[in-house]
Amino acid sequence: WHLVIAILHFMATAYCTETEIAKRLSALGILHFADDNFDGAAESGVVAEAIDWASTEIDYYCTAYKPSDMATNDWINQAAIMHAIYWLCTRRNQDPPKGVERFYEGLVKKLEQIHEGKYQVPGLAYDGTHLPGVTNVRADLRYRQKKARVQKGISTEVGDGHTVHEDWESRFDNER
């Protein structure tokens, strides 16, 4: 059971489904790109691998967003569908159709801008861990070391994903 839990923990959030890919590419298109032995059926796991690759790519470019929020966003869904289709089309070292290639290249440019912070995913707010906080400090001359002290009442809270280093030495010393 521990292995199953570990595997599930590291799996990317899927931002699209096989049904959504089939709507865009068609069932025949999936069959064309995923049937390796020409038996009339797509190989098992090929579309799932495409979805996993697409979701991992989206996670790479969109680190400023929560995966749980991205899972319900239409733009992310469409980007994941197009990534998965591109992967399916090129997985056997084939050239993708020109329309797929043009759409994919434009999408990657937008995702690079999102990654650089120049563009924002439509309809999605940042997760807050990348936003600056305000810390107000004052000098407290009662301490020999670490005289700068945070004034918690007028400072912002620490966002998720940030650690606060506790000044244990000053809490338990007898300098006062």
Side-chain angles (χ1 to χ4, degrees):
W1 282 107
H2 296 289
L3 178 61
V4 172
I5 292 169
I7 291 170
L8 290 175
H9 178 69
F10 290 109
M11 288 176 56
T13 301
Y15 300 122
C16 65
T17 64
E18 186 171 345
T19 305
E20 292 169 329
I21 294 169
K23 283 182 187 176
R24 180 76 59 85
L25 188 60
S26 81
L28 188 59
I30 288 178
L31 188 62
H32 175 73
F33 292 112
D35 182 11
D36 293 339
N37 58 7
F38 306 107
D39 64 353
E43 305 307 316
S44 82
V46 171
V47 177
E49 192 174 348
I51 292 169
D52 187 49
W53 179 82
S55 298
T56 302
E57 287 289 299
I58 299 291
D59 284 340
Y60 168 76
Y61 285 113
C62 300
T63 55
Y65 302 95
K66 291 181 183 176
S68 59
D69 292 341
M70 290 192 296
T72 60
N73 183 273
D74 291 334
W75 192 89
I76 292 290
N77 174 255
Q78 296 302 316
I81 291 169
M82 188 41 83
H83 261 77
I85 288 173
Y86 183 81
W87 186 89
L88 282 170
C89 293
T90 59
R91 75 180 191 90
R92 290 186 287 193
N93 204 22
Q94 298 173 328
D95 291 330
K98 294 290 183 201
V100 169
E101 187 171 23
R102 279 193 305 271
F103 196 95
Y104 177 79
E105 287 173 356
L107 177 64
V108 168
K109 285 179 186 176
K110 284 182 184 174
L111 285 168
E112 286 172 350
Q113 290 176 334
I114 289 169
H115 188 67
E116 294 167 1
K118 297 177 183 176
Y119 186 78
Q120 187 173 352
V121 174
L124 205 54
Y126 292 122
D127 72 356
T129 60
H130 296 57
L131 301 176
V134 177
T135 302
N136 295 292
V137 295
R138 63 178 169 75
D140 192 340
L141 301 177
R142 296 178 294 172
Y143 295 95
R144 283 185 294 201
Q145 298 175 351
K146 302 178 184 170
K147 293 180 187 221
R149 298 287 173 195
V150 175
Q151 292 179 281
K152 292 185 179 181
I154 59 174
S155 300
T156 58
E157 292 292 322
V158 176
D160 293 340
H162 296 289
T163 57
V164 177
H165 299 288
E166 188 69 42
D167 186 7
W168 293 106
E169 182 181 325
S170 67
R171 277 189 156 208
F172 297 109
D173 66 1
N174 296 320
E175 290 183 301
R176 295 184 188 208

